[in-house]
Amino acid sequence: MFSSSYLPRLKLTTRAAPKVIPCASSLREAGVKFKRKKKPDNMFHVTFEEGILELPSVLIDNSRKRLFLNLIAFEQSDRSTEKNLTSFATLMDMLINTPSDIEILEECDILHNMLPSAEEAASFFNQICECATLDYDDHYLAGLFYRVRDYCDSTWHRNRAKLVRDYFHNPWAILSFIAAIILLIFSFIQSFFSVFAYFRPPH
């Protein structure tokens, strides 16, 4: 069994943690970046800082599905055992809803899918968590759930992410945006001097 003594407790003390966080596709739209944690302390070492969600590399196949099911069943049956795998599997279940979410995590080298299809991979953690229960206010990722939800609910973060997607997704878009800003500045200067000349004509 995985030791919980090395796991950071991200438990909330004053505010209830949300029971749901957006999937990977929605998180990316909100400006969240995904990154593989290069030197995780353990397989559950997940962090969220400055809009970057770092996760350890996860390989999924049929043998691991059986392993995870057995370990989660053990966690659920023993009240004295920390629900660390249940907490991590719940996070992955929330992140992955569709094959698009699988692609995002694969692009970031976080998820390694050894199952026949992306559809099967998308249902991997959903099936594992079907019979699992979790105290959302008292598990080691509770604080992370809240911070991710809070970040996504921020209008500033969403607008900034939309700006980057619409205007900075490639070099040509960046050049077009800069040209538009320069044109706007020149138009403002021209208008200023036209108005200035009208009210202060040369003698």
Side-chain angles (χ1 to χ4, degrees), residues 11 13 46 49-50 55 67 82-83 88 97-98 105-106 113 119 140 144 163 167-168 189 192-193 197 199:
K11 177 182 175 182
T13 56
V46 184
E49 296 178 0
E50 298 180 355
L55 301 100
L67 174 64
E82 294 281 354
K83 306 298 187 290
F88 179 78
N97 283 337
T98 66
L105 298 181
E106 285 182 326
N113 177 27
E119 287 76 12
Y140 89 98
L144 182 139
L163 180 67
Y167 299 104
F168 300 104
I189 293 174
F192 173 79
F193 281 109
F199 288 101

Side-chain angles (χ1 to χ4, degrees), residues 9-29:
R9 292 295 295 182
L10 302 178
K11 177 182 175 182
L12 294 176
T13 56
T14 58
R15 302 181 69 178
K19 295 182 178 181
V20 177
I21 61 173
C23 64
S25 301
S26 297
L27 289 178
R28 175 171 280 187
E29 289 180 1

Side-chain angles (χ1 to χ4, degrees), residues 38-94:
K38 294 182 179 179
K39 294 181 179 180
D41 295 338
N42 50 68
M43 67 171 292
F44 307 126
H45 191 186
V46 184
T47 57
F48 182 71
E49 296 178 0
E50 298 180 355
I52 300 176
L53 184 60
E54 288 192 61
L55 301 100
S57 178
V58 180
L59 187 148
I60 57 174
D61 58 17
N62 287 322
S63 63
R64 280 170 175 75
K65 183 176 182 179
R66 291 189 294 271
L67 174 64
F68 287 172
L69 282 170
N70 289 332
L71 290 174
I72 287 178
F74 176 79
E75 287 184 346
Q76 296 293 308
S77 64
D78 188 350
R79 293 185 178 181
S80 64
T81 301
E82 294 281 354
K83 306 298 187 290
N84 296 323
L85 179 56
T86 302
S87 181
F88 179 78
T90 299
L91 170 66
M92 296 301 294
D93 183 31
M94 292 179 183

Side-chain angles (χ1 to χ4, degrees), residues 153-165:
D153 289 342
S154 168
T155 303
W156 159 250
H157 291 140
R158 286 191 171 277
N159 290 340
R160 185 180 64 176
K162 188 177 188 303
L163 180 67
V164 171
R165 283 198 311 273

